[in-house]
Amino acid sequence: MTSAARRPILHRRPSAAAAVAATAALLLSACGSGDGASSTAKAPEPGANLNTLLPDTLQRSKVLRIGADLSYAPIGFKAAGGRPDGLDVDLAQALGQALGVQVQFVDVPFDKLMRGLQASQFDVVMSGMTDNAQRRDGADDEGQKSGPGVDFVDYFITGSSIVVAQGNPQKIGSLDDLCGRTVALQKGTIQATLAERQNQACEKVHKKLTVRTTATDDEALALVAQGKAAADLSDSPVAALAAKEGRDGARFQLAGDQLSQAPYGIAVLKRDTALRDALVRALDRVIRSGDYEKVLAKWGLSAGAAQNAVVNGGF
């Protein structure tokens, strides 16, 4: 866990995948969603009261409950005294101000966030969650339908990276180098899907990729430090911070180029269209005001900036 005083400076690495350019172009355009949910409706006039766009229950309570796994620095974590901090926390506070509500974080393990959202334990999920078709469709890790799915309000562009022990003792330079080895990653993350796809490639050359899932990314890093895993797969900002600062005395480095790019999104139940659209307008207002860039700059994450809110812009 890091302290609030840490300010990592992260640099985006180019990806060779053609999908990277498509994702970035979508987020940087003024276009609408990838799933038919409109994010291009005429925005309210400057200074309009966005609170009136919220569902009646939120207008009355004046509190937006946000589910998050607060163990993922610098995206969302607990600072001194247990105070929520990080990129998502600061952006959520700015969104709450634009909407005229307080934001309240509910700390939940990452793989239980969607279940908690469906059970109305909180109103939205904002936890460094990648917008992808599987989550929008409500499918589980095996691709089976497990819920009604969600809509995403995309707000940041990120990617995945490989983290290895300092010195890279196993000479890992790409996903292919993990074939025949063990990789660690946090349960329920997009990296689990990435590892599963890579394992299919590894099996073709008869070198099985063993995947060990953990409750947190710090636990995955510990397996790398102990030599029980060749690498950890995690989101690029989190991986870069681990390489910069280490964990519990262990030192790490990034291996190879960034693997892919995709947007982080705020997950909203599909039936909550009013809340989704209010968040779109609030995010656009925060971006136009300059507060969005100030938050990203604070955390050294300006390279992931989006120019406008997009609904369901992931692949």
Side-chain angles (χ1 to χ4, degrees):
M1 206 65 67
T2 67
S3 71
R6 295 175 178 170
R7 296 292 182 265
I9 303 300
L10 310 183
H11 300 279
R12 183 161 307 283
R13 299 183 175 196
S15 169
V20 170
T23 302
L26 179 58
L27 277 173
L28 296 177
S29 74
C31 296
S33 74
D35 279 5
S38 174
S39 63
T40 58
K42 184 178 179 181
E45 293 298 323
N49 185 3
L50 299 185
N51 183 265
T52 62
L53 303 179
L54 290 170
D56 291 341
T57 53
L58 290 180
Q59 289 187 46
R60 290 194 296 270
S61 70
K62 298 189 182 304
V63 175
L64 180 68
R65 299 169 302 159
I66 300 176
D69 179 357
L70 297 176
S71 66
Y72 212 50
I75 305 304
F77 61 98
K78 290 181 179 178
R83 177 178 59 85
D85 204 358
L87 172 73
D88 281 354
V89 176
D90 286 347
L91 284 179
Q93 296 288 356
L95 291 172
Q97 185 173 5
L99 291 168
V101 297
Q102 294 182 339
V103 296
Q104 179 184 90
F105 278 85
V106 182
D107 189 12
V108 176
F110 190 85
D111 63 315
K112 293 180 172 58
L113 284 170
M114 285 302 199
R115 195 180 314 159
L117 180 62
Q118 300 293 348
S120 299
Q121 294 175 8
F122 26 82
D123 303 302
V124 301
V125 169
M126 189 173 182
S127 187
M129 182 170 283
T130 303
D131 171 3
N132 64 17
Q134 177 179 313
R135 288 171 174 148
R136 294 195 302 268
D137 294 341
D140 59 21
D141 291 341
E142 284 72 43
Q144 301 298 313
K145 189 76 171 178
S146 61
V150 298
D151 285 331
F152 283 100
V153 178
D154 299 338
Y155 62 93
F156 181 76
I157 307 167
T158 187
S160 296
S161 294
I162 303 172
V163 186
V164 298
Q166 188 157 35
N168 196 2
Q170 300 195 42
K171 308 304 180 186
I172 305 298
S174 68
L175 285 176
D176 288 341
D177 293 333
L178 294 174
C179 292
R181 295 185 166 96
T182 297
V183 66
L185 52 88
Q186 185 177 5
K187 183 178 181 181
T189 61
I190 193 67
Q191 285 78 32
T193 302
L194 186 66
E196 175 59 30
R197 291 173 181 169
Q198 180 60 30
N199 188 42
Q200 295 173 11
C202 292
E203 288 180 341
K204 292 180 181 179
V205 295
H206 308 292
K207 292 183 178 181
K208 178 179 174 59
L209 171 62
T210 301
V211 179
R212 292 192 60 175
T213 58
T214 59
T216 68
D217 188 63
D218 280 356
E219 292 177 8
L221 287 169
L223 292 177
V224 176
Q226 296 161 11
K228 296 178 180 178
D232 168 34
L233 296 181
S234 62
D235 288 349
S236 295
V238 178
L241 186 59
K244 177 182 175 64
E245 299 185 346
R247 288 290 189 279
D248 298 325
R251 306 300 301 179
F252 305 95
Q253 68 183 64
L254 301 181
D257 292 333
Q258 190 179 80
L259 301 175
S260 60
Q261 284 185 315
Y264 281 164
I266 304 169
V268 186
L269 292 175
K270 285 189 178 294
R271 65 173 180 263
D272 289 341
T273 55
L275 175 55
R276 179 200 67 201
D277 293 345
L279 286 167
V280 167
R281 286 158 175 77
L283 179 56
D284 280 339
R285 177 173 290 184
V286 171
I287 291 172
R288 290 195 304 269
S289 72
D291 290 341
Y292 173 80
E293 179 53 38
K294 290 177 182 177
V295 170
L296 267 62
K298 171 184 174 181
W299 295 103
L301 295 172
S302 297
Q307 290 186 359
N308 60 278
V310 174
V311 174
N312 297 333
F315 288 96

mmCIF file of all heavy atoms in Angstrom, residues 102-127:
data_model
loop_
_atom_site.group_PDB
_atom_site.id
_atom_site.type_symbol
_atom_site.label_atom_id
_atom_site.label_comp_id
_atom_site.label_asym_id
_atom_site.label_seq_id
_atom_site.Cartn_x
_atom_site.Cartn_y
_atom_site.Cartn_z
ATOM 1 N N GLN A 102 -22.466 13.975 -2.542
ATOM 2 C CA GLN A 102 -21.271 13.455 -1.899
ATOM 3 C C GLN A 102 -20.993 12.064 -2.461
ATOM 4 O O GLN A 102 -21.916 11.351 -2.874
ATOM 5 C CB GLN A 102 -21.453 13.381 -0.383
ATOM 6 C CG GLN A 102 -21.596 14.728 0.293
ATOM 7 C CD GLN A 102 -21.715 14.606 1.802
ATOM 8 O OE1 GLN A 102 -22.080 13.554 2.320
ATOM 9 N NE2 GLN A 102 -21.402 15.683 2.507
ATOM 10 N N VAL A 103 -19.732 11.680 -2.483
ATOM 11 C CA VAL A 103 -19.394 10.325 -2.911
ATOM 12 C C VAL A 103 -18.930 9.526 -1.701
ATOM 13 O O VAL A 103 -18.234 10.042 -0.824
ATOM 14 C CB VAL A 103 -18.314 10.319 -4.006
ATOM 15 C CG1 VAL A 103 -18.839 10.990 -5.263
ATOM 16 C CG2 VAL A 103 -17.033 10.989 -3.548
ATOM 17 N N GLN A 104 -19.340 8.285 -1.664
ATOM 18 C CA GLN A 104 -19.031 7.399 -0.544
ATOM 19 C C GLN A 104 -18.473 6.100 -1.106
ATOM 20 O O GLN A 104 -19.154 5.408 -1.866
ATOM 21 C CB GLN A 104 -20.291 7.139 0.281
ATOM 22 C CG GLN A 104 -20.122 6.225 1.465
ATOM 23 C CD GLN A 104 -21.455 5.969 2.147
ATOM 24 O OE1 GLN A 104 -22.174 5.026 1.815
ATOM 25 N NE2 GLN A 104 -21.806 6.836 3.078
ATOM 26 N N PHE A 105 -17.238 5.757 -0.744
ATOM 27 C CA PHE A 105 -16.606 4.553 -1.262
ATOM 28 C C PHE A 105 -16.911 3.348 -0.371
ATOM 29 O O PHE A 105 -16.865 3.442 0.862
ATOM 30 C CB PHE A 105 -15.097 4.740 -1.389
ATOM 31 C CG PHE A 105 -14.710 5.457 -2.652
ATOM 32 C CD1 PHE A 105 -14.705 6.837 -2.712
ATOM 33 C CD2 PHE A 105 -14.395 4.746 -3.802
ATOM 34 C CE1 PHE A 105 -14.373 7.502 -3.877
ATOM 35 C CE2 PHE A 105 -14.060 5.396 -4.967
ATOM 36 C CZ PHE A 105 -14.053 6.777 -5.018
ATOM 37 N N VAL A 106 -17.235 2.234 -1.026
ATOM 38 C CA VAL A 106 -17.458 0.963 -0.346
ATOM 39 C C VAL A 106 -16.352 0.018 -0.810
ATOM 40 O O VAL A 106 -16.279 -0.324 -1.989
ATOM 41 C CB VAL A 106 -18.848 0.377 -0.688
ATOM 42 C CG1 VAL A 106 -19.077 -0.925 0.058
ATOM 43 C CG2 VAL A 106 -19.951 1.391 -0.377
ATOM 44 N N ASP A 107 -15.474 -0.378 0.094
ATOM 45 C CA ASP A 107 -14.308 -1.197 -0.246
ATOM 46 C C ASP A 107 -14.718 -2.663 -0.362
ATOM 47 O O ASP A 107 -15.161 -3.277 0.616
ATOM 48 C CB ASP A 107 -13.238 -1.019 0.837
ATOM 49 C CG ASP A 107 -11.917 -1.657 0.459
ATOM 50 O OD1 ASP A 107 -11.747 -2.032 -0.718
ATOM 51 O OD2 ASP A 107 -11.047 -1.782 1.345
ATOM 52 N N VAL A 108 -14.554 -3.224 -1.567
ATOM 53 C CA VAL A 108 -14.981 -4.595 -1.863
ATOM 54 C C VAL A 108 -13.902 -5.268 -2.713
ATOM 55 O O VAL A 108 -13.326 -4.622 -3.595
ATOM 56 C CB VAL A 108 -16.325 -4.591 -2.641
ATOM 57 C CG1 VAL A 108 -16.738 -6.002 -3.032
ATOM 58 C CG2 VAL A 108 -17.422 -3.940 -1.810
ATOM 59 N N PRO A 109 -13.587 -6.555 -2.474
ATOM 60 C CA PRO A 109 -12.634 -7.248 -3.346
ATOM 61 C C PRO A 109 -13.058 -7.153 -4.808
ATOM 62 O O PRO A 109 -14.248 -7.211 -5.125
ATOM 63 C CB PRO A 109 -12.691 -8.698 -2.847
ATOM 64 C CG PRO A 109 -13.088 -8.577 -1.408
ATOM 65 C CD PRO A 109 -14.049 -7.421 -1.368
ATOM 66 N N PHE A 110 -12.076 -7.010 -5.686
ATOM 67 C CA PHE A 110 -12.363 -6.719 -7.087
ATOM 68 C C PHE A 110 -13.306 -7.737 -7.718
ATOM 69 O O PHE A 110 -14.239 -7.369 -8.439
ATOM 70 C CB PHE A 110 -11.057 -6.657 -7.888
ATOM 71 C CG PHE A 110 -11.237 -6.123 -9.278
ATOM 72 C CD1 PHE A 110 -11.233 -4.755 -9.525
ATOM 73 C CD2 PHE A 110 -11.437 -6.987 -10.359
ATOM 74 C CE1 PHE A 110 -11.420 -4.254 -10.797
ATOM 75 C CE2 PHE A 110 -11.619 -6.490 -11.636
ATOM 76 C CZ PHE A 110 -11.610 -5.127 -11.863
ATOM 77 N N ASP A 111 -13.098 -9.028 -7.449
ATOM 78 C CA ASP A 111 -13.898 -10.047 -8.118
ATOM 79 C C ASP A 111 -15.324 -10.115 -7.584
ATOM 80 O O ASP A 111 -16.154 -10.849 -8.125
ATOM 81 C CB ASP A 111 -13.228 -11.413 -8.014
ATOM 82 C CG ASP A 111 -13.100 -11.893 -6.576
ATOM 83 O OD1 ASP A 111 -12.698 -11.090 -5.712
ATOM 84 O OD2 ASP A 111 -13.405 -13.063 -6.308
ATOM 85 N N LYS A 112 -15.635 -9.341 -6.554
ATOM 86 C CA LYS A 112 -16.997 -9.317 -6.000
ATOM 87 C C LYS A 112 -17.727 -8.002 -6.318
ATOM 88 O O LYS A 112 -18.875 -7.810 -5.901
ATOM 89 C CB LYS A 112 -16.965 -9.536 -4.492
ATOM 90 C CG LYS A 112 -16.497 -10.932 -4.096
ATOM 91 C CD LYS A 112 -16.474 -11.108 -2.587
ATOM 92 C CE LYS A 112 -16.198 -12.558 -2.201
ATOM 93 N NZ LYS A 112 -14.930 -13.058 -2.746
ATOM 94 N N LEU A 113 -17.086 -7.112 -7.066
ATOM 95 C CA LEU A 113 -17.685 -5.811 -7.336
ATOM 96 C C LEU A 113 -18.953 -5.912 -8.175
ATOM 97 O O LEU A 113 -19.963 -5.261 -7.881
ATOM 98 C CB LEU A 113 -16.665 -4.897 -8.014
ATOM 99 C CG LEU A 113 -15.590 -4.317 -7.097
ATOM 100 C CD1 LEU A 113 -14.497 -3.642 -7.911
ATOM 101 C CD2 LEU A 113 -16.201 -3.322 -6.113
ATOM 102 N N MET A 114 -18.925 -6.700 -9.232
ATOM 103 C CA MET A 114 -20.107 -6.807 -10.094
ATOM 104 C C MET A 114 -21.283 -7.418 -9.341
ATOM 105 O O MET A 114 -22.431 -6.981 -9.489
ATOM 106 C CB MET A 114 -19.785 -7.631 -11.337
ATOM 107 C CG MET A 114 -18.960 -6.886 -12.360
ATOM 108 S SD MET A 114 -19.763 -5.366 -12.929
ATOM 109 C CE MET A 114 -18.862 -5.078 -14.441
ATOM 110 N N ARG A 115 -20.987 -8.411 -8.534
ATOM 111 C CA ARG A 115 -22.044 -9.034 -7.731
ATOM 112 C C ARG A 115 -22.651 -8.012 -6.763
ATOM 113 O O ARG A 115 -23.866 -7.945 -6.568
ATOM 114 C CB ARG A 115 -21.451 -10.219 -6.961
ATOM 115 C CG ARG A 115 -22.488 -11.179 -6.376
ATOM 116 C CD ARG A 115 -21.786 -12.303 -5.630
ATOM 117 N NE ARG A 115 -20.675 -12.839 -6.408
ATOM 118 C CZ ARG A 115 -19.671 -13.509 -5.869
ATOM 119 N NH1 ARG A 115 -19.614 -13.700 -4.560
ATOM 120 N NH2 ARG A 115 -18.696 -13.976 -6.643
ATOM 121 N N GLY A 116 -21.793 -7.191 -6.154
ATOM 122 C CA GLY A 116 -22.288 -6.176 -5.241
ATOM 123 C C GLY A 116 -23.119 -5.121 -5.936
ATOM 124 O O GLY A 116 -24.120 -4.640 -5.390
ATOM 125 N N LEU A 117 -22.734 -4.765 -7.166
ATOM 126 C CA LEU A 117 -23.514 -3.790 -7.931
ATOM 127 C C LEU A 117 -24.896 -4.347 -8.241
ATOM 128 O O LEU A 117 -25.913 -3.651 -8.079
ATOM 129 C CB LEU A 117 -22.776 -3.435 -9.228
ATOM 130 C CG LEU A 117 -23.457 -2.417 -10.142
ATOM 131 C CD1 LEU A 117 -23.609 -1.067 -9.447
ATOM 132 C CD2 LEU A 117 -22.662 -2.259 -11.446
ATOM 133 N N GLN A 118 -24.956 -5.603 -8.677
ATOM 134 C CA GLN A 118 -26.250 -6.214 -8.992
ATOM 135 C C GLN A 118 -27.132 -6.331 -7.748
ATOM 136 O O GLN A 118 -28.360 -6.283 -7.843
ATOM 137 C CB GLN A 118 -26.035 -7.610 -9.604
ATOM 138 C CG GLN A 118 -25.229 -7.623 -10.897
ATOM 139 C CD GLN A 118 -25.952 -6.958 -12.062
ATOM 140 O OE1 GLN A 118 -27.135 -6.666 -11.989
ATOM 141 N NE2 GLN A 118 -25.211 -6.716 -13.149
ATOM 142 N N ALA A 119 -26.504 -6.451 -6.572
ATOM 143 C CA ALA A 119 -27.253 -6.572 -5.323
ATOM 144 C C ALA A 119 -27.562 -5.212 -4.694
ATOM 145 O O ALA A 119 -28.054 -5.149 -3.561
ATOM 146 C CB ALA A 119 -26.481 -7.433 -4.330
ATOM 147 N N SER A 120 -27.260 -4.124 -5.418
ATOM 148 C CA SER A 120 -27.538 -2.754 -4.969
ATOM 149 C C SER A 120 -26.798 -2.393 -3.687
ATOM 150 O O SER A 120 -27.273 -1.579 -2.886
ATOM 151 C CB SER A 120 -29.049 -2.553 -4.778
ATOM 152 O OG SER A 120 -29.742 -2.755 -5.993
ATOM 153 N N GLN A 121 -25.612 -2.980 -3.486
ATOM 154 C CA GLN A 121 -24.787 -2.592 -2.352
ATOM 155 C C GLN A 121 -24.173 -1.210 -2.570
ATOM 156 O O GLN A 121 -23.752 -0.554 -1.614
ATOM 157 C CB GLN A 121 -23.684 -3.629 -2.128
ATOM 158 C CG GLN A 121 -24.199 -4.984 -1.705
ATOM 159 C CD GLN A 121 -23.090 -6.019 -1.603
ATOM 160 O OE1 GLN A 121 -21.906 -5.677 -1.713
ATOM 161 N NE2 GLN A 121 -23.461 -7.272 -1.413
ATOM 162 N N PHE A 122 -24.101 -0.786 -3.819
ATOM 163 C CA PHE A 122 -23.634 0.544 -4.187
ATOM 164 C C PHE A 122 -24.252 0.906 -5.518
ATOM 165 O O PHE A 122 -24.904 0.072 -6.173
ATOM 166 C CB PHE A 122 -22.097 0.611 -4.241
ATOM 167 C CG PHE A 122 -21.430 -0.705 -4.516
ATOM 168 C CD1 PHE A 122 -21.307 -1.190 -5.796
ATOM 169 C CD2 PHE A 122 -20.928 -1.461 -3.477
ATOM 170 C CE1 PHE A 122 -20.706 -2.404 -6.053
ATOM 171 C CE2 PHE A 122 -20.314 -2.688 -3.719
ATOM 172 C CZ PHE A 122 -20.194 -3.154 -5.013
ATOM 173 N N ASP A 123 -24.105 2.153 -5.929
ATOM 174 C CA ASP A 123 -24.788 2.647 -7.128
ATOM 175 C C ASP A 123 -23.985 2.406 -8.404
ATOM 176 O O ASP A 123 -24.566 2.186 -9.466
ATOM 177 C CB ASP A 123 -25.068 4.151 -6.979
ATOM 178 C CG ASP A 123 -25.873 4.461 -5.737
ATOM 179 O OD1 ASP A 123 -26.984 3.913 -5.609
ATOM 180 O OD2 ASP A 123 -25.389 5.249 -4.898
ATOM 181 N N VAL A 124 -22.662 2.489 -8.303
ATOM 182 C CA VAL A 124 -21.794 2.295 -9.462
ATOM 183 C C VAL A 124 -20.521 1.599 -8.984
ATOM 184 O O VAL A 124 -20.247 1.515 -7.789
ATOM 185 C CB VAL A 124 -21.418 3.635 -10.144
ATOM 186 C CG1 VAL A 124 -22.658 4.383 -10.597
ATOM 187 C CG2 VAL A 124 -20.559 4.494 -9.218
ATOM 188 N N VAL A 125 -19.740 1.115 -9.942
ATOM 189 C CA VAL A 125 -18.394 0.615 -9.660
ATOM 190 C C VAL A 125 -17.402 1.529 -10.373
ATOM 191 O O VAL A 125 -17.532 1.793 -11.564
ATOM 192 C CB VAL A 125 -18.210 -0.836 -10.157
ATOM 193 C CG1 VAL A 125 -16.727 -1.239 -10.095
ATOM 194 C CG2 VAL A 125 -19.060 -1.796 -9.342
ATOM 195 N N MET A 126 -16.430 2.023 -9.617
ATOM 196 C CA MET A 126 -15.348 2.824 -10.196
ATOM 197 C C MET A 126 -14.071 2.344 -9.532
ATOM 198 O O MET A 126 -13.721 2.768 -8.435
ATOM 199 C CB MET A 126 -15.572 4.308 -9.959
ATOM 200 C CG MET A 126 -14.604 5.216 -10.710
ATOM 201 S SD MET A 126 -15.059 6.963 -10.533
ATOM 202 C CE MET A 126 -13.807 7.734 -11.557
ATOM 203 N N SER A 127 -13.380 1.416 -10.219
ATOM 204 C CA SER A 127 -12.287 0.712 -9.564
ATOM 205 C C SER A 127 -11.259 0.229 -10.576
ATOM 206 O O SER A 127 -10.859 -0.930 -10.548
ATOM 207 C CB SER A 127 -12.843 -0.476 -8.760
ATOM 208 O OG SER A 127 -11.844 -1.087 -7.985
#
